[in-house]
Amino acid sequence: MTLTDSLIDFFLETRKHTENLCEPLEIEDYVVQPIVDVSPPKWHLGHTTWFFEEFILKPHLKDYKIFDEDFSFVFNSYYETVGKRVVRSDRGNLSRPSVESVYAYRSHVTKAVERLFVTTQSQELYDLLEIGIHHEKQHQELLLTDIKFILGNNPLLPSYSDTFKEHPLESTSKEWISMEEGIYEIGHNSEDFCYDNELGRHKVYLHPFKISNNLVTNQEYIEFIEAGGYKKFDLWHAEGWDWVNQNQISAPLYWHKIDGVWHNYTLKGLQTITPGAPVTHISYFEAFAFAQFKGCRLATEFEWEASQAFFTWGKRWEWTESAYLPYPNYTKAEGALGEYNGKFMVNQKVLRGGSVATPIKHTRFTYRNFFQTDLRWQYNGLRLVK
Ligand SMILES: [Fe+2]
């Protein structure tokens, strides 16, 4: 199989998987945007398609016929280089284009990309296709967490799928892994794909630390709630304490106490909490307060990367104590794709790991996810360090 064949297979498989994720949806589910951070499924379907049209087909396929001139305005997310766009908060107001026409757009673009690679191959095109595929995979994760938010905030709490498993159990043995002080190398170091924010491999000096082999569980988190963790100001950052009070937060997102029993909304619908499963849907503020409560702290992203070979990960995105900043020697890409990561390196915290919503072949131990400190609609959990 040639490089083109395998990359095109990867592309087609990725395109198909996005559509499979939407299969359980009703047509009305495609358009809802309950909060600004959550995009409607229809928008994800269109935006991931627009990415290939804008960055590959328009500049590289000579006879390419643009599907609809308005779609760049509708489906451009944040690329100033590309031009005007619908503001993020208006994505849920787009009753048009219809779901049907967005699926037709997907098919038009998928076929055109295939056609382009039959006649033209170059390293530049391979690189663009690869980033487009990984971009779509990134959106597959968002698509699932956005669907969860849409259905989980519908008062009827409908189920998305009877088979989706989101509660991996932790192993029962809790151990502290001792890491020695020393110089560790951080950052991506192979020929495989990575985002630009993983580059600028560099050395860091770490003091000795102990890191838990397991994520914090629901049971441990219930103990924090029942010990009054949400009422003790001294466990929280000032901003976190304001957030708790202004939003009347008293449990993770999707948790409901019904007749004295903790339940949580999952993609299978409302379920009783699984005590041994890793806690999820907590903000950085909550992760920090929980660690304080235990007399521990969160790992820095460097500690996490240096010790990841000694524990299993990938069940939850794990909040770290690290601010999302460029590595030394970070260089952003030329042109519009330079807007992909670099311009978000302010006021966010890094998460490491992956989650039940992360598609296969989409995370690695150098992957840096990032969110603002109050956001919790992703599968965010935590691991303790002392
Ligand atoms: Fe995107």
Side-chain angles (χ1 to χ4, degrees):
M1 191 184 252
T2 67
L3 178 59
T4 308
D5 290 342
S6 60
L7 205 52
I8 285 293
D9 278 358
F10 192 29
F11 166 71
L12 294 174
E13 176 191 301
T14 304
R15 299 288 285 164
K16 180 96 177 56
H17 185 63
T18 306
E19 291 166 18
N20 290 347
L21 288 173
C22 291
E23 215 170 59
L25 299 182
E26 297 292 347
I27 206 85
E28 291 82 357
D29 300 327
Y30 280 90
V31 193
V32 183
Q33 185 181 29
I35 55 169
V36 69
D37 304 293
V38 167
S39 296
K42 182 175 69 180
W43 188 87
H44 285 292
L45 290 170
H47 165 71
T48 48
T49 303
W50 165 83
F51 196 94
F52 292 109
E53 182 177 67
E54 187 64 41
F55 299 122
I56 297 183
L57 297 176
K58 284 189 190 172
H60 296 282
L61 183 59
K62 273 203 193 83
D63 60 344
Y64 179 66
K65 195 173 170 306
I66 291 172
F67 183 82
D68 185 318
E69 293 288 349
D70 285 339
F71 279 18
S72 181
F73 174 63
V74 172
F75 294 120
N76 175 4
S77 51
Y78 53 67
Y79 295 87
E80 300 284 351
T81 313
V82 177
K84 286 206 171 117
R85 61 205 174 274
V86 170
V87 294
R88 188 171 185 166
S89 54
D90 269 352
R91 288 176 190 170
N93 294 333
L94 292 160
S95 58
R96 308 293 170 88
S98 67
V99 172
E100 195 183 356
S101 65
V102 171
Y103 273 115
Y105 178 43
R106 285 185 69 84
S107 164
H108 175 86
V109 165
T110 301
K111 282 182 193 144
V113 169
E114 270 191 286
R115 192 151 50 84
L116 169 65
F117 277 80
V118 168
T119 54
T120 321
Q121 291 115 29
S122 68
Q123 193 57 48
E124 187 195 1
L125 275 180
Y126 290 145
D127 292 347
L128 285 170
L129 185 58
E130 198 170 38
I131 197 165
I133 294 169
H134 285 273
H135 170 255
E136 182 145 350
K137 284 181 170 287
Q138 218 170 352
H139 276 274
Q140 288 169 354
E141 178 169 84
L142 289 169
L143 183 58
L144 259 185
T145 52
D146 290 1
I147 289 170
K148 182 170 179 180
F149 197 91
I150 289 166
L151 300 179
N153 283 279
N154 178 321
L156 300 175
L157 299 174
S159 154
Y160 161 74
S161 152
D162 291 341
T163 52
F164 192 92
K165 284 203 183 77
E166 64 174 65
H167 286 313
L169 283 176
E170 286 286 87
S171 75
T172 46
S173 71
K174 286 250 176 203
E175 280 166 35
W176 291 101
I177 298 155
S178 292
M179 294 293 294
E180 289 178 8
E181 70 178 324
I183 293 167
Y184 292 86
E185 292 220 25
I186 299 296
H188 191 77
N189 185 29
S190 82
E191 291 300 302
D192 297 341
F193 175 82
C194 75
Y195 289 113
D196 60 1
N197 62 4
E198 297 163 59
L199 292 173
R201 190 165 161 88
H202 62 288
K203 295 186 179 75
V204 296
Y205 180 82
L206 298 179
H207 293 272
F209 63 98
K210 289 188 165 75
I211 186 163
S212 173
N213 66 333
N214 274 334
L215 290 159
V216 168
T217 63
N218 286 327
Q219 181 55 44
E220 291 171 293
Y221 204 83
I222 288 172
E223 288 161 17
F224 166 74
I225 297 174
E226 289 178 353
Y230 282 97
K231 299 189 178 97
K232 294 179 177 165
F233 74 88
D234 53 329
L235 298 177
W236 298 80
H237 286 104
E239 265 185 50
W241 187 239
D242 287 347
W243 173 79
V244 163
N245 289 303
Q246 280 162 13
N247 300 286
Q248 300 188 359
I249 305 288
S250 57
L253 182 63
Y254 300 122
W255 282 37
H256 303 268
K257 203 169 196 177
I258 303 168
D259 298 332
V261 181
W262 281 114
H263 290 66
N264 62 349
Y265 175 77
T266 73
L267 286 169
K268 276 172 148 177
L270 195 66
Q271 312 251 308
T272 53
I273 293 273
T274 307
V279 69
T280 195
H281 297 300
I282 56 170
S283 66
Y284 163 79
F285 292 138
E286 289 164 296
F288 176 87
F290 179 88
Q292 289 280 297
F293 170 73
K294 297 295 271 187
C296 296
R297 63 178 178 82
L298 306 180
T300 64
E301 63 169 320
F302 311 112
E303 288 170 334
W304 191 95
E305 190 168 321
S307 56
Q308 54 76 32
F310 302 104
F311 51 79
T312 54
W313 51 268
K315 300 169 188 170
R316 294 290 181 258
W317 282 107
E318 305 178 23
W319 283 110
T320 74
E321 193 51 276
S322 298
Y324 180 48
L325 295 172
Y327 286 165
N329 304 319
Y330 167 77
T331 42
K332 67 176 186 185
E334 300 271 315
L337 288 175
E339 296 187 53
Y340 200 109
N341 278 313
K343 70 182 189 179
F344 300 109
M345 290 173 175
V346 64
N347 293 334
Q348 309 210 50
K349 288 282 189 180
V350 172
L351 295 102
R352 292 300 194 99
S355 85
V356 289
T358 315
I360 46 162
K361 298 189 216 160
H362 191 62
T363 191
R364 52 202 160 263
F365 70 85
T366 56
Y367 192 111
R368 306 172 78 203
N369 205 348
F370 49 91
F371 284 103
Q372 283 94 2
T373 47
D374 61 331
L375 294 180
R376 49 187 202 160
W377 95 109
Q378 295 303 304
Y379 287 88
N380 304 336
L382 84 152
R383 183 186 303 274
L384 295 174
V385 161
K386 63 181 183 183

